[in-house]
Amino acid sequence: MPLYRDEAIVLRTHKLGEADRIVTVLSRRLGKLRMVGKGVRRTKSRFGARLEPGMHIDVQCYEGRNLDTVTQVETLDSWGETISRDYRSWTSAVAVLETCDRLTEEREPALQQYLLLSGALRAMAERDHDAGLVLDAYLLRAMAIGGYAPSFHDCAKCGAPGPHRAFHVAAGGVVCPVCRPPGSAAPAPETLRLLAALLAGDWAPADASDDRHRHEGSGLTAAFLQWHLERGIRSLRMVER
């Protein structure tokens, strides 16, 4: 199919030559795609501003040997532009986009990841919930879709019914006293309940949570994510906690 059209979210961009840009998107049907926007860095470009991170677009491309070429772009939602007005929301959104990029493979359909990403960016743009909570909810749920669902109640190793207090990143979540490895963390019960709520999308208790439990939960979430991805998410260091 030399010419195709799909709904997509821009994940990242980088410069190519003097006026072009390579754009990485997650599309609804086709998964992650890399394409060239020719001349989009020129001030007179017709759609340069639409190919920025966080933008929700309808894009038409011509399929190439190595990189596809953008021929037409229509804006569906200006999430990136709206989120960028608030620094904390923007750094959280950048971490979401980087994580999505790491969890998806090129040309592999990933509808669940696409829907989760669009929901997270929409929530940040509309200020439905605290940006930090949306970020952590996204990270936990994206990992679950990727096959790394953490346990916050029953033992992650033997399945013993919880609740349990110890948390071990490498084990996959909370662990019982018998399975508890050395060096396990002992977060507050409220923190574990908060993380369980974020994983389940239960926003009422999450919105009512205390700041200290949010802070502790963010640390556990970041550690869990980066351990199982086996590499760091650079943008997480920029997020205000």
Side-chain angles (χ1 to χ4, degrees), residues 17 26-27 31 35 128 167 172 180 199 206 212 221 226 232:
L26 183 66
S27 72
M35 53 192 65
D128 290 342
F167 186 93
R180 178 176 182 169
L199 179 60
R212 68 180 183 275
T221 300
Q226 294 179 106

Side-chain angles (χ1 to χ4, degrees), residues 78-223:
S78 301
W79 292 328
E81 179 185 356
T82 303
I83 294 171
S84 65
R85 298 169 190 167
D86 178 73
Y87 177 78
R88 186 164 181 268
S89 296
W90 176 243
T91 54
S92 297
V94 170
V96 164
L97 294 170
E98 183 181 351
T99 301
C100 184
D101 191 18
R102 296 282 178 84
L103 286 172
T104 51
E105 298 293 333
E106 202 164 329
R107 295 279 179 182
E108 290 290 335
L111 180 59
Q112 284 184 293
Q113 292 286 4
Y114 176 85
L115 295 175
L116 182 64
L117 175 63
S118 62
L121 294 177
R122 182 182 294 108
M124 288 185 182
E126 297 177 357
R127 308 289 194 268
D128 290 342
H129 309 283
D130 177 78
L133 289 178
V134 175
L135 169 60
D136 288 339
Y138 171 81
L139 297 180
L140 293 170
R141 299 172 77 179
M143 290 294 288
I145 291 172
Y148 302 100
S151 174
F152 298 118
H153 189 267
D154 298 336
C155 179
K157 297 190 74 174
C158 71
H164 300 295
R165 282 293 309 275
F167 186 93
H168 196 264
V169 168
V174 295
V175 286
C176 67
V178 175
C179 298
R180 178 176 182 169
S184 298
E190 294 86 352
T191 299
L192 296 176
R193 286 197 290 269
L194 167 62
L195 293 177
L198 292 175
L199 179 60
D202 188 1
W203 284 102
D207 290 334
S209 61
D210 190 271
D211 284 344
R212 68 180 183 275
H213 300 135
R214 295 183 184 187
H215 182 76
E216 186 176 40
S218 294
L220 294 176
T221 300

